[in-house]
Amino acid sequence: MDTVDLLLHPVRLRIVHTMTGGRTLTTAQLCDLLPDVSKATVYRHVGLLADAGILEVESEQRVRGAVERRYRLNRARSMIDADTAATISLDDHRRGFAVAMAALLAEFNAYLDRGHADPTADLVGYRQHALWLSRDELTEMIGELRSVIVSRMGNAPSPERTRHLISPILFPAEERPPGATGSQD
């Protein structure tokens, strides 16, 4: 199974999200962090991700007669790069968006199901903003957003930090206005 097929699954995508930030976790710890997913499902998908090299074994130890593995994310293998994205079909893009939304919805429901969730106090946001941008303005904004996000991706877990998901979604919502030409970019 190629990386695109592996990542276009909501449970596997959630496992990848959970492993980001330099975390090393056992499958049992992943099960605790994904309580809405059955243990058998988590174990099966961890196995698929490990077999594909998306998860790597950090260490192994014997625990009550079984081998417990700690996994880390292989960041280079866990992303669909721009060249690959350019070659996949529109149906695969549609499927990828649906999987991303399913994973995001599952994560949000898991957050709300914790019992002590407080979206206002936790500064939860899910707004949409419509922007009119030229190609140059869009490229500049993407660079600025990327810079802000990437500058914080190296933050390690600590008692003061809570893991947050941020999901930038960007696509043209309308056709260009009548009379617009590509040269206006």
Side-chain angles (χ1 to χ4, degrees), residues 99-119:
V99 166
M101 292 303 96
L104 187 60
L105 183 58
E107 291 284 354
F108 192 68
N109 284 331
Y111 158 72
L112 293 176
D113 289 343
R114 281 189 245 164
H116 60 278
D118 185 343

Side-chain angles (χ1 to χ4, degrees), residues 24-178:
T24 60
L25 299 169
T26 66
T27 308
Q29 289 171 317
L30 276 167
C31 288
D32 290 342
L33 293 168
L34 301 170
D36 57 310
V37 180
S38 76
K39 290 182 190 257
T41 299
V42 173
Y43 274 85
R44 182 174 63 250
H45 290 294
V46 165
L48 289 170
L49 291 168
D51 289 347
I54 292 173
L55 293 181
E56 299 173 331
V57 176
E58 167 85 7
S59 62
E60 295 180 334
Q61 68 178 8
R62 283 230 171 258
V63 176
R64 287 171 265 155
V67 176
E68 180 182 72
R69 292 178 181 89
R70 294 186 67 77
Y71 294 96
R72 71 173 170 261
L73 186 65
N74 178 340
R75 283 194 37 84
R77 300 278 321 234
S78 67
M79 295 196 236
I80 298 171
D81 63 26
D83 291 337
T84 302
T87 66
I88 63 176
S89 71
L90 293 179
D91 281 339
D92 281 339
H93 280 283
R94 185 175 284 114
R95 192 171 120 230
F97 188 81
V99 166
M101 292 303 96
L104 187 60
L105 183 58
E107 291 284 354
F108 192 68
N109 284 331
Y111 158 72
L112 293 176
D113 289 343
R114 281 189 245 164
H116 60 278
D118 185 343
T120 303
D122 293 336
L123 303 177
V124 171
Y126 42 85
R127 294 176 184 85
Q128 291 182 338
H129 305 280
L131 307 172
W132 291 91
L133 302 167
S134 70
R135 181 69 176 201
D136 289 343
E137 291 166 333
L138 176 61
T139 301
E140 181 182 15
M141 186 184 76
I142 290 170
E144 291 167 355
L145 291 170
R146 183 175 289 134
S147 175
V148 166
I149 293 168
V150 168
S151 71
R152 288 159 177 83
M153 287 176 67
N155 289 357
S158 72
E160 315 70 58
R161 290 188 174 131
T162 301
R163 189 175 71 94
H164 290 79
L165 289 181
I166 183 167
S167 299
I169 299 167
L170 177 70
F171 58 92
E174 297 178 12
E175 296 285 332
R176 288 178 186 248

